[in-house]
Amino acid sequence: MSKTLEVSGLKTHFFMRAGVAKAVDGVDFSIGPGEVMGLVGESGSGKSITGFSIIGLIDPPGRIVEGSIRFKGAEIANAPEETLRTLRGNRIAMIFQDPMMTLNPVLRVDTQMIEALQAHKKIGRHDAWTKARDTLGLVGIPAPDERMRAYPHQLSGGMRQRVAIATAFLNEPDLIIADEPTTALDVTIQGQIIHEAQELCRRSGASLIWITHDLAVVAGIADHISVMYAGRIVEQGDIDDVIDRPAHPYTVGLLGSVPTANNRGQKLYQIRGMAPNILALPTGCAFKERCPRRSPDCETSPEATTRGEKIYRCHHPHLEAVEA
Amino acid sequence: MSAPLLEIRNVSKRFVRRLDLAGKIASRLGAGVSEETVHAVDNVSFSIAKGEVVGLVGESGCGKSTLGRVVAGIHKPTEGQVFFEGQDVAALTGARKREATLAIQMIFQDPFASLNPRMRVEDIIGEAPVYHGLTTRAGAASYVDEIMTKVGLDPSLKKRYPHQFSGGQRQRIGIARALAVKPKFLVCDEAIAALDVSIQAQVINLFMDLREEFDLTYLFISHDLSVVEHIADRVVIMYLGRVVESAGTENVFERPVHPYTSALLAEAPRLDQRKRAFVPIKGEIPSPLEPPHGCHFHPRCPHAVPECSADPPALETVRTDHVAACHLRGRFV
Amino acid sequence: MSDATAEAAPPEATIQPVDAETPFQRFVSEFLDSKVATAAFLFLLAIIALAIFAPWITPQNPYDLAQVDVLDGRLAPGSEAFAGYTMWLGSDGAGRDLYSAILYGLRISLSVGVTSGLIALVIGMAVGLLAAYTGGRTENVIMRIVDLQLSFPAALVALMLIAILGKGVDKIILALVVAQWAYYARTVRASALVERHKEYVEAAACLGISHARIVFRHIMPNCLAPLIVVGTVQTASAISLEATLSFLGVGMPQTSPSLGVLIANGFEYMLSGRYWISVFPGVALLVTVVSINLVGDHLRDVLNPRLNTGGGK
Ligand SMILES: Nc1ncnc2c1ncn2[C@@H]1O[C@H](COP(=O)(O)OP(=O)(O)OP(=O)(O)O)[C@@H](O)[C@H]1O
Ligand SMILES: Nc1ncnc2c1ncn2[C@@H]1O[C@H](COP(=O)(O)OP(=O)(O)OP(=O)(O)O)[C@@H](O)[C@H]1O
Ligand code: SF4
Ligand code: SF4
Ligand SMILES: [Mg+2]
Ligand SMILES: [Mg+2]
């Protein structure tokens, strides 16, 4: 089956007075129809910028300097704004951590949703209204008829996020990029929203990129996972494969530092130090200063290595795990 | 178990949003504006023994921070009392009062807002001990160095300003500031929530080390169940201002009695649960401005019985050291 | 993975801070980014220097009667004075060299503006901090007074006061202070309210630090940035307000002639074509006020984002 999205060698850099911030520096991944990919990494690792690059929302001083983004076979990296605009909100939708990034505070929910539909389709106002109402119902909003008339500020945070998600799904896009959509929400609300997003994808066959820093959330929703560190994907593969048998020392460290029932009361594994400043990345492997397996080899940047389903960038991976 | 180090008895905290002039005029004219009262904390009692780590869990707006601030003496309770080492904190005066104030310190969530941006690290940490005479002005430098080393900060950075540190380092500065007055009790309000995953582990480990080294007692507020499960001896669960369940960590995680606790445990994402079909509990968290009658949880509770919407259930002992406030008392399990 | 638990202890100690610039260094470099503001700032420095060093760089002390010759009166710019120096900007009706008179006038205008600005700042800051920190009734009363005061034009307030108090340098300064303190009070209260609810203030309370110390050591320093902005803009308006009063004849006395007095004195000659007596002091006033305002505007741009982020990510 052909891929919905293929990203290869993507580099998005920000050119600032203090230097060049290589926010995304050589990212490759692909995602097929109906698949869910979790993109995880620490703050500043370039997750959001990867998402923004795909939908063409990189503003100066940033730009895509290299690489290709193929959406259903067509190249969209650095495509003209017009092409991107017809894709955005139509074939590719984005959901943000703050739903107010997509919602207009002074317009009613129905107005916004009908506009979103009519912007990309010839559809009557009445049909549009019905469709919007039905989509609201799909994301678990009780009494959707009533909520259609509400202004965003009259809704709770969880409701707003649901409206944003419903809006994203309105045009039945092929790809949805969700950037930490549940980070600001409570556990029980997060559970509901993940559930609904999963359902919608299953139903419509859309591909979903779920960006988060929370490994446990990814474990619950994704088929594939990509772990980002300092602008690169350091490990990717099938979710079970990566979580149960991590190869990259960073992934190993991240998984080890999550408190679980098994290590109750014991000291947690800790990755030492902190994420490097992307304005002054060390030469070679960006993780080397924090890495317990570092050797002189690590002074050269590790290439992506494919082994079975899994791809990693490391000179000394935990291969015992991969081979097992 | 030894006598409690800290005990709170029937503590309530209400915030009243008073009307401004325009509001008053509007309400006179019958515009239906009225004063709004938030019952942030509603008749909460529990005690914490010396050396214990008590986790306080609940969803946003349920009153965790407010309760923490009452314990730390930042807010005065509207009703009820806080006892520290057997004495009512509100009744203390003079040197005893100061002692109690310093003995309870707070670690905050926001590593940016919790440090004064205009002060150097050495002043942030050294201000209070010098002010209270715990060290002399001359001795302050080495005092600060020592504490910075204890929390894993390089003392040579003490002339720097907070913005020159990463989130994790700032959180360590906040911890050092609290430790500098030799506290016995720390209220940690979502102290790791704002940190990166890999840094969270560092700070959790630091809390555990310090607990041993300084014989500290913690009230550890968090919405993250796995962190609480990891660090706490006992867990208190709150919902809309009330305690709904309180028990030893094992009991809460393995034998929860309250439907809300069960829901929280089911909803919390875990590494070992892959691509699972979530069966979420329904409904929104109600507004604390007008909490539901009876059991606050009844509109969302899958087991609610008619009684639930009429009478609020009282906290009752289910088994040794395990209380819960539910009419069913675990009979649904 | 349990073997890895023994990972060496506190690791952060070895890591260098993320950002080596001090807030001040960053502020300076951002300020210098704007060419207009930098030029205005240099210009302002030059004006201040001229005012300060006036006695040493002017050919004449225009208020020492021994140095003024009535025969030099109303000379056009570039004429030679009786004493032999060139009057590049001409002279006024009394025979004073305008260049010298302007520099001396600038001295007076600037010092009146800055003095009243500083006093108003101190009073406004104290009142604003008090309002924000105490809250409740005190705050309500104070802020209603501030609102009331701000609903009158500053010039009107000053004029009424002069009418009551009479003339004199001290009275002018008093009038300017009364006309301006409310701006400072409002600004300080707004930022102090924000700061007061920040966690570092709660932390200080937890640490048993006294209210006075919390207000002055913790809250006040964090309210200074907007205060500096308001301070520059208000100083400029104090200078023009004083000039207005003087022009109307109720401001500075003839014995200490500010720029406003000079403009007023020259006004009667305007119609007879001797424009320079009024226009040159006017230009000096304009240039001073505009450069202060340019600096103030840019200060606001540079300082504002910093107020919230605290230099974050
Ligand atoms: N407009 C910009 N100008 C300069 N640098 C930027 C800009 N936007 C992002 N960056 C840099 O790019 C890097 C990656 O940012 P990005 O927002 O993708 O991180 P993230 O992984 O989404 O982190 P978070 O979890 O905090 O959202 C960061 O280090 C950031 O400093
Ligand atoms: N100073 C205050 N004035 C008015 N209302 C307040 C104040 N502080 C808290 N509240 C209200 O009290 C309730 C409890 O707030 P609190 O901050 O204690 O919740 P929380 O459990 O800490 O939530 P979160 O997880 O979001 O931090 C909320 O509804 C909040 O709006
Ligand atoms: S390449 Fe070297 S330094 Fe980088 S992660 Fe692998 S072992 Fe560690
Ligand atoms: S009292 Fe009733 S509504 Fe409340 S938790 Fe128990 S069963 Fe549910
Ligand atoms: Mg992001
Ligand atoms: Mg809180």
Side-chain angles (χ1 to χ4, degrees):
Chain A
M1 208 196 300
S2 72
K3 296 286 185 186
T4 309
L5 181 77
E6 289 171 279
V7 175
S8 61
L10 178 67
K11 293 191 178 182
T12 304
H13 296 177
F14 287 85
F15 298 87
M16 300 181 300
R17 198 167 44 152
V20 180
K22 299 180 177 173
V24 175
D25 199 29
V27 159
D28 313 87
F29 66 85
S30 62
I31 176 168
E35 284 178 353
V36 181
M37 186 188 85
L39 184 58
V40 293
E42 292 180 272
S43 183
S45 56
K47 308 183 292 296
S48 301
I49 301 301
T50 304
F52 287 133
S53 304
I54 295 169
I55 56 168
L57 282 183
I58 299 291
D59 292 324
R63 68 184 153 87
I64 297 176
V65 292
E66 238 183 271
S68 95
I69 303 171
R70 300 180 80 80
F71 176 68
K72 295 172 84 177
E75 179 62 49
I76 58 169
N78 289 320
E81 178 58 26
E82 239 157 275
T83 319
L84 290 168
R85 200 168 326 127
T86 48
L87 283 176
R88 237 182 268 142
N90 184 21
R91 307 318 324 143
I92 308 179
M94 192 149 178
I95 307 166
F96 303 91
Q97 176 172 347
D98 179 2
M100 295 313 284
M101 297 264 293
T102 24
L103 300 181
N104 185 336
V106 299
L107 293 182
R108 282 185 0 190
V109 169
D110 51 2
T111 324
Q112 311 199 19
M113 293 186 77
I114 291 169
E115 262 179 21
L117 266 172
Q118 290 182 331
H120 299 287
K121 269 196 191 76
K122 278 229 161 315
I123 179 171
R125 212 185 141 72
H126 183 74
D127 292 345
W129 192 91
T130 317
K131 174 142 184 109
R133 197 256 334 263
D134 294 347
T135 320
L136 279 191
L138 282 183
V139 295
I141 290 185
D145 285 84
E146 235 170 82
R147 303 298 161 120
M148 286 287 280
R149 284 189 296 274
Y151 287 91
H153 71 91
Q154 295 169 321
L155 304 172
S156 70
M159 281 293 170
R160 269 183 234 157
Q161 192 58 280
R162 274 171 225 220
V163 174
I165 292 177
T167 313
F169 274 95
L170 263 186
N171 288 305
E172 287 153 12
D174 301 304
L175 173 68
I176 292 168
I177 303 170
D179 191 356
E180 312 234 13
T182 59
T183 304
L185 302 174
D186 281 308
V187 189
T188 56
I189 308 299
Q190 164 170 297
Q192 296 167 357
I193 285 185
I194 291 178
H195 175 70
E196 281 136 19
Q198 262 177 329
E199 279 290 292
L200 280 173
C201 282
R202 201 163 297 155
R203 211 182 278 244
S204 67
S207 314
L208 177 64
I209 300 178
W210 192 277
I211 299 178
T212 175
H213 62 270
D214 192 336
L215 278 164
V217 166
V218 169
I221 187 172
D223 307 307
H224 300 280
I225 179 173
S226 298
V227 181
M228 265 192 105
Y229 188 79
R232 294 191 170 168
I233 293 179
V234 294
E235 178 159 8
Q236 60 181 306
D238 176 71
I239 185 90
D240 295 321
D241 195 29
V242 171
I243 290 189
D244 297 333
R245 295 173 292 280
H248 196 281
Y250 177 64
T251 321
V252 172
L254 272 190
L255 289 165
S257 61
V258 175
T260 63
N262 306 333
N263 55 18
R264 180 185 302 170
Q266 296 164 14
K267 285 193 78 171
L268 290 171
Y269 174 83
Q270 58 184 52
I271 303 176
R272 59 197 150 112
M274 55 196 197
N277 177 355
I278 53 158
L279 284 175
L281 282 180
T283 55
C285 174
F287 187 59
K288 69 180 184 197
E289 268 146 28
R290 306 173 74 184
C291 182
R293 291 171 86 99
R294 159 184 195 176
S295 80
D297 298 348
C298 307
E299 297 307 319
T300 59
S301 187
E303 288 305 315
T305 314
T306 311
R307 199 169 276 245
E309 284 265 293
K310 181 181 288 177
I311 305 173
Y312 54 81
R313 280 178 183 266
C314 174
H315 292 300
H316 307 291
H318 290 250
L319 274 186
E320 38 320 348
V322 175
E323 263 141 21
Chain B
M1 209 201 278
S2 53
L5 177 70
L6 181 108
E7 187 184 357
I8 59 176
R9 258 187 230 160
N10 307 103
V11 163
S12 294
K13 177 74 190 175
R14 291 186 282 271
F15 294 104
V16 182
R17 212 194 66 196
R18 284 188 209 295
L19 294 176
D20 54 7
L21 192 62
K24 275 183 191 154
I25 295 171
S27 88
R28 280 283 159 79
L29 298 175
V33 227
S34 58
E35 288 196 342
E36 291 180 331
T37 308
V38 184
H39 290 258
V41 174
D42 187 6
N43 195 12
V44 169
S45 309
F46 59 77
S47 58
I48 301 177
K50 188 161 170 41
E52 218 180 3
V53 178
V54 172
L56 181 58
V57 181
E59 290 181 276
S60 175
C62 73
K64 305 182 298 293
S65 301
T66 308
L67 189 60
R69 282 172 162 76
V70 168
V71 169
I74 296 170
H75 288 331
K76 288 211 166 34
T78 317
E79 271 159 30
Q81 295 136 310
V82 179
F83 293 87
F84 188 72
E85 296 183 318
Q87 286 170 300
D88 183 349
V89 176
L92 295 177
T93 50
R96 283 292 300 136
K97 182 182 160 123
R98 201 192 73 180
E99 220 172 274
T101 309
L102 294 189
I104 309 176
Q105 288 301 316
M106 187 145 174
I107 313 292
F108 298 88
Q109 167 170 5
D110 187 343
F112 291 86
S114 61
L115 302 178
N116 186 338
R118 306 269 161 187
M119 278 167 94
R120 293 177 192 278
V121 171
E122 58 178 346
D123 297 321
I124 290 174
I125 301 173
E127 180 185 23
V130 173
Y131 180 81
H132 293 294
L134 299 176
T135 176
T136 57
R137 210 165 276 282
S142 61
Y143 190 85
V144 168
D145 289 0
E146 192 185 324
I147 292 169
M148 285 182 76
T149 317
K150 286 255 153 63
V151 300
L153 285 169
D154 181 351
S156 69
L157 305 180
K158 66 181 177 182
K159 298 271 183 225
R160 308 227 179 208
Y161 287 92
H163 82 273
Q164 297 172 295
F165 293 88
S166 69
Q169 288 175 318
R170 277 183 227 225
Q171 211 55 319
R172 286 171 196 262
I173 299 171
I175 296 169
R177 172 178 62 191
L179 288 180
V181 294
K182 303 196 165 74
K184 296 176 180 163
F185 188 101
L186 287 187
V187 178
C188 308
D189 187 2
E190 306 270 10
I192 57 162
L195 305 177
D196 268 330
V197 191
S198 73
I199 309 298
Q200 283 189 357
Q202 295 175 357
V203 177
I204 294 177
N205 285 346
L206 176 63
F207 276 129
M208 290 171 52
D209 289 343
L210 295 174
R211 174 194 186 183
E212 258 168 51
E213 183 167 358
F214 296 99
D215 205 7
L216 291 170
T217 306
Y218 290 115
L219 177 61
F220 200 89
I221 301 174
S222 177
H223 66 273
D224 187 338
L225 282 163
S226 53
V227 169
V228 169
E229 179 176 17
H230 185 81
I231 195 170
D233 302 317
R234 212 143 57 75
V235 180
V236 176
I237 314 256
M238 279 180 83
Y239 189 73
L240 279 185
R242 294 182 188 158
V243 172
V244 295
E245 182 157 9
S246 160
T249 308
E250 288 233 354
N251 275 338
V252 165
F253 283 87
E254 270 135 52
R255 291 173 284 280
V257 168
H258 199 282
Y260 177 63
T261 313
S262 314
L264 272 188
L265 290 176
E267 259 8 287
R270 283 171 183 275
L271 274 182
D272 47 11
Q273 289 175 321
R274 309 287 155 70
K275 284 178 263 175
R276 65 187 178 132
F278 281 88
V279 190
I281 53 166
K282 290 177 202 62
E284 295 276 299
I285 304 162
S287 155
L289 280 172
E290 23 185 342
H293 285 289
C295 174
H296 283 172
F297 189 54
H298 83 258
R300 305 174 73 192
C301 182
H303 309 288
V305 291
E307 206 186 342
C308 301
S309 46
D311 310 311
L315 270 180
E316 284 177 53
T317 308
V318 206
R319 52 175 76 90
T320 341
D321 187 33
H322 190 157
V323 294
C326 171
H327 290 305
L328 296 184
R329 270 173 251 154
R331 263 173 286 141
F332 69 93
V333 202
Chain C
M1 234 173 281
S2 57
D3 59 329
T5 338
E7 184 79 42
E12 294 225 352
T14 53
I15 307 277
Q16 281 302 303
V18 281
D19 181 356
E21 266 184 340
T22 67
F24 184 70
Q25 284 167 342
R26 196 139 47 125
F27 162 72
V28 170
S29 76
E30 273 176 38
F31 185 86
L32 295 181
D33 268 358
S34 159
K35 295 206 171 57
V36 177
T38 311
F41 181 67
L42 291 178
F43 206 79
L44 189 61
L45 279 186
I47 292 175
I48 294 173
L50 284 177
I52 291 176
F53 297 113
W56 294 277
I57 55 177
T58 51
Q60 178 196 61
N61 176 350
Y63 302 102
D64 178 358
L65 288 179
Q67 294 184 33
V68 179
D69 194 329
V70 204
L71 294 176
D72 284 339
R74 283 161 292 176
L75 290 181
S79 319
E80 194 169 315
F82 188 71
Y85 53 86
T86 314
M87 291 175 156
W88 291 111
L89 302 183
S91 66
D92 72 359
R96 285 185 286 242
D97 171 35
L98 260 184
Y99 167 66
S100 311
I102 287 174
L103 290 201
Y104 275 80
L106 208 51
R107 250 169 112 95
I108 294 166
S109 288
L110 281 177
S111 48
V112 169
V114 170
T115 315
S116 63
L118 279 179
I119 299 175
L121 183 145
V122 170
I123 294 174
M125 185 161 72
V127 172
L129 283 172
L130 183 77
Y133 197 72
T134 54
R137 188 164 295 265
T138 325
E139 179 181 19
N140 259 327
V141 172
I142 293 179
M143 293 325 291
R144 289 302 83 74
I145 298 178
V146 167
D147 287 346
L148 189 72
Q149 161 106 54
L150 290 179
S151 59
F152 288 104
L156 190 62
V157 174
L159 268 176
M160 291 192 312
L161 267 167
I162 301 282
I164 299 167
L165 298 172
K167 287 174 74 172
V169 181
D170 49 343
K171 313 266 169 36
I172 293 289
I173 291 180
L174 183 66
L176 291 176
V177 169
V178 171
Q180 310 221 25
W181 69 275
Y183 292 96
Y184 292 98
R186 190 177 58 178
T187 309
V188 171
R189 170 177 168 270
S191 41
L193 267 187
V194 174
E195 296 300 321
R196 187 172 93 105
H197 291 111
K198 288 213 180 138
E199 290 174 343
Y200 72 87
V201 174
E202 292 186 338
C206 243
L207 291 164
I209 290 169
S210 68
H211 294 305
R213 199 178 159 90
I214 290 178
V215 170
F216 291 110
R217 276 275 291 169
H218 292 262
I219 297 181
M220 195 179 85
N222 287 294
C223 301
L224 287 181
L227 205 59
I228 293 171
V229 174
V230 174
T232 35
V233 175
Q234 282 302 312
T235 303
S237 73
I239 291 173
S240 34
L241 184 54
E242 175 271 318
T244 312
L245 294 175
S246 301
F247 183 78
L248 294 176
V250 294
M252 298 301 286
Q254 288 292 341
T255 46
S256 31
S258 64
L259 293 176
V261 176
L262 294 181
I263 298 170
N265 287 349
F267 204 61
E268 52 181 297
Y269 302 106
M270 277 297 263
L271 291 180
S272 55
R274 300 191 175 89
Y275 64 89
W276 60 88
I277 310 184
S278 245
V279 167
F280 288 141
V283 169
L285 178 70
L286 186 78
V287 165
T288 310
V289 169
V290 166
S291 43
I292 298 180
N293 275 330
L294 282 176
V295 171
D297 277 354
H298 189 57
L299 274 179
R300 172 165 36 225
D301 296 344
V302 176
L303 287 172
N304 252 344
R306 181 87 357 91
L307 298 179
N308 313 323
T309 60
K313 15 179 187 173

